[in-house]
Amino acid sequence: MKKFFYSQKAAPYVFVLPFVLTVLLFWLGPIIKGINLSFQDVMKDQWVGLGNYQRLLTDKIFWKAVSNSVKYCILTLVLLIPFPLLFAVLLNSHLMKHSNIFKSIYFLPALTSVVVAGTVFRLMFGEASESLLNQVIGLFGHAPIKWLKSQGTAYFALLTLCCWRWTGVNIMYFLAGIQSIPADLYEAAEIDGASKWQQFKSITIPLVKPTTIYVLTISIYAGLAMFLESFMLWRGNNSPNNIGLTIVGYLYRQGIEKRAMGYACAVGIVLLIFVMIVNFIQLKLNGTFSKEER
């Protein structure tokens, strides 16, 4: 047995084994169980076949949740891809003094509990005139706004919370990618007379592409799977006219609040398939599966 574990051929499999077991026990197993439950009415212990999926097609609240999640995902991608990249370039610049301090400040929100952050932001965006945002707009003579009761301002609150929490994380990803680029390339470009913008466009953006694809992939997943931020911002899963309801929030409503576990599993399976399709398409478009990228 000792000879087996010290074998160079066996070592890779031994190191990978914990990950494989984790995937099988906590990912693949629940998915198979969820697929099975999605064809049942768990409360009545009946097999309903495609009944749960057919119900989804005509469920207006489900499609409202899908619409909310897709909009949220797109808006977060617009904000959390280009701006963290620009901030990372600035932090990596020699002109940036005390960059380590700024790195710590940017990353600090990621260490904050979503529960705490959501509670603080709910108070900030409260409808009372004493809330922080209403005090700010009050300085310009604007009447208090019910931030969390209309679609536009509610999305503004959600996106503000999202950007505050995750901008620093994406900056760290992009900063790691930028620092892996050989400095010789920038020096050669500078000797050839390339401006900083030309260096950014022709060197930084192409060579940081693997990092961009990774950040894009996890951001799509995070955007479509968002739940806790919305739950804390509205102090529950029942926002006015479902303006903050997400796909995962709807899954929680059906599975936990209404105990329609079979229907909730159908929602979860649809979400899983949707996320996988969207990420597969973007990875395909980015050339991840092409022979040139291998």
Side-chain angles (χ1 to χ4, degrees), residues 3-50:
K3 184 178 180 181
F4 171 79
F5 283 107
Y6 279 88
S7 170
Q8 291 185 354
K9 293 183 178 180
Y13 299 99
V14 173
F15 289 126
V16 170
L17 184 61
F19 172 76
V20 173
L21 292 176
T22 301
V23 170
L24 292 176
L25 290 174
F26 300 104
W27 194 78
L28 190 59
I31 287 179
I32 295 174
K33 181 67 174 178
I35 293 173
N36 181 49
L37 290 176
S38 70
F39 295 107
Q40 302 178 41
D41 185 333
V42 179
M43 294 298 293
K44 297 181 181 179
D45 195 20
Q46 293 179 353
W47 183 267
V48 296
L50 295 175

Side-chain angles (χ1 to χ4, degrees), residues 31-240:
I31 287 179
I32 295 174
K33 181 67 174 178
I35 293 173
N36 181 49
L37 290 176
S38 70
F39 295 107
Q40 302 178 41
D41 185 333
V42 179
M43 294 298 293
K44 297 181 181 179
D45 195 20
Q46 293 179 353
W47 183 267
V48 296
L50 295 175
N52 288 326
Y53 293 96
Q54 291 173 345
R55 178 183 167 188
L56 283 177
L57 295 176
T58 57
D59 191 334
K60 294 182 179 180
I61 300 179
F62 169 72
W63 290 109
K64 172 71 172 179
V66 171
S67 175
N68 289 339
S69 293
V70 171
K71 289 177 184 176
Y72 175 83
C73 180
I74 293 173
L75 291 171
T76 54
L77 293 179
V78 170
L79 295 171
L80 290 177
I81 300 294
F83 290 108
L85 176 58
L86 292 175
F87 292 149
V89 171
L90 291 174
L91 285 173
N92 195 55
S93 172
H94 296 295
L95 300 176
M96 189 74 178
K97 296 181 179 180
H98 309 296
S99 60
N100 289 331
I101 296 176
F102 285 99
K103 292 176 188 176
S104 301
I105 293 173
Y106 281 133
F107 192 75
L108 190 61
L111 303 177
T112 306
S113 167
V114 182
V115 175
V116 174
T119 303
V120 172
F121 272 77
R122 183 175 69 244
L123 296 174
M124 287 172 54
F125 286 94
E127 59 185 68
S129 58
E130 293 81 11
S131 65
L132 179 60
L133 268 295
N134 279 333
Q135 287 187 40
V136 171
I137 63 174
L139 297 175
F140 300 94
H142 200 289
I145 297 176
K146 296 180 179 180
W147 296 92
L148 301 179
K149 290 189 176 180
S150 63
Q151 189 82 44
T153 54
Y155 265 92
F156 176 73
L158 265 177
L159 291 172
T160 302
L161 173 56
C162 174
C163 291
W164 175 83
R165 182 168 173 78
W166 296 115
T167 297
V169 176
N170 287 357
I171 288 175
M172 294 299 109
Y173 287 137
F174 282 119
L175 194 59
I178 291 171
Q179 290 178 346
S180 67
I181 301 174
D184 297 346
L185 295 177
Y186 292 103
E187 293 174 2
E190 193 169 354
I191 292 173
D192 290 338
S195 64
K196 293 295 183 183
W197 167 248
Q198 290 173 327
Q199 293 177 36
F200 175 73
K201 184 177 65 173
S202 302
I203 299 176
T204 304
I205 292 180
L207 294 183
V208 84
K209 181 181 176 182
T211 304
T212 305
I213 293 174
Y214 173 75
V215 173
L216 181 61
T217 302
I218 63 174
S219 296
I220 290 173
Y221 165 77
L224 293 175
M226 187 273 288
F227 165 66
L228 192 54
E229 290 88 343
S230 174
F231 188 89
M232 293 308 303
L233 205 56
W234 275 278
R235 198 185 299 176
N237 200 33
N238 295 300
S239 55

